[in-house]
Amino acid sequence: MLTIGKLGASAGVKVPTIRYYEQIGLLPEAERSAGNQRLYSQKALERLAFIRHARDLGFTLEAIRDLLSLSDQPDQPCAAADAIVIAQLAEVESRLARLGALKVELQRILTQCAGGKIANCRVIEALGDHSLCATDHRYPDLGATI
Amino acid sequence: MLTIGKLGASAGVKVPTIRYYEQIGLLPEAERSAGNQRLYSQKALERLAFIRHARDLGFTLEAIRDLLSLSDQPDQPCAAADAIVIAQLAEVESRLARLGALKVELQRILTQCAGGKIANCRVIEALGDHSLCATDHRYPDLGATI
DNA sequence: CCTTGAAGCTCTAGTTACTAGAGACATTAG
DNA sequence: CTAATGTCTCTAGTAACTAGAGCTTCAAGG
Ligand SMILES: [Zn+2]
Ligand SMILES: [Zn+2]
Ligand SMILES: [Zn+2]
Ligand SMILES: [Zn+2]
């Protein structure tokens, strides 16, 4: 049995984060010691490591919740799990495309600066006017994660 | 003079977002009509378009605040503005690197699935165990934007 | 046995950049 | 003049934590 501190150190997750995961129901309520402190089994460590790793791979907590509940049902077909991973890959690819365009545009903007005063700086101007842009980096709001 | 709705339509920014920008001091308090409705000048439209475009380029509101205050001081050297753009470029490149690693890893994980039941699915297993990963995608917390 | 420091507990609030909704007032088209 | 749309303020909610206050429990040293 591990205390919350040991668990966090083992899984690479901060203690308040573990309590947060419990609070939102991503981790089950932990057993408690006589003194009301949380105690964790090896299985709990595995579950937390799964969460941590999936977070590192960019999955949302919602997706992780689904993955965990799937992994608790071993005789279901795995297509649902794969679909979540495929969706995450698509998300990553979409972000990559967007960020690639941003990179190109920012580099291009930076080349416009010849130094000097702000009044003459083409960088400020380029930031203000999309019609000076070479690429179309205006995508409908991709949210934000990773 | 534009109403808030026209302003938003012109700049491609939703009305509540404009009010939010005013609330956090990114836009100055707008003039008001006799009936207490906000009225905006052409200059306000330019400022809002600047904000919108900079957001599209992934700048945070904090960075945009700094850029705006720099652009209000035309005889300052432009190095400070450039530095903000350079930092943003670095941020974008760092995210690109991270996302590139994630993409590779997610693709690799997906190849492990041979279909079938979850109990045998290597995808779930791979998600749970970083030692099965081929790349090192564990970077110290990059926050999240874009 | 006692003390002290670290680790744990609960609870609240703050972060980013908005978005949604309630309930009231203003403006405009027909 | 009325109905529809637009605008007003204010509050609260989103994702995934993080920080802090004020309290209790635990482990080790003297
Ligand atoms: Zn410059
Ligand atoms: Zn542009
Ligand atoms: Zn599978
Ligand atoms: Zn991994």
Side-chain angles (χ1 to χ4, degrees), chain A residues 1 4 11 19 32 37 45 56-57 65 89 97 105 146:
Chain A
M1 285 297 188
I4 196 171
R19 289 197 278 247
R32 298 297 181 116
Q37 304 198 345
L45 171 56
D56 283 339
L57 287 166
R65 196 188 292 273
L89 176 58
E105 203 54 57
I146 310 173

Side-chain angles (χ1 to χ4, degrees), chain A residues 78 82, chain B residues 113-115 121-123:
Chain A
C78 71
D82 293 3
Chain B
C113 177
C121 184
R122 313 285 297 175
V123 166

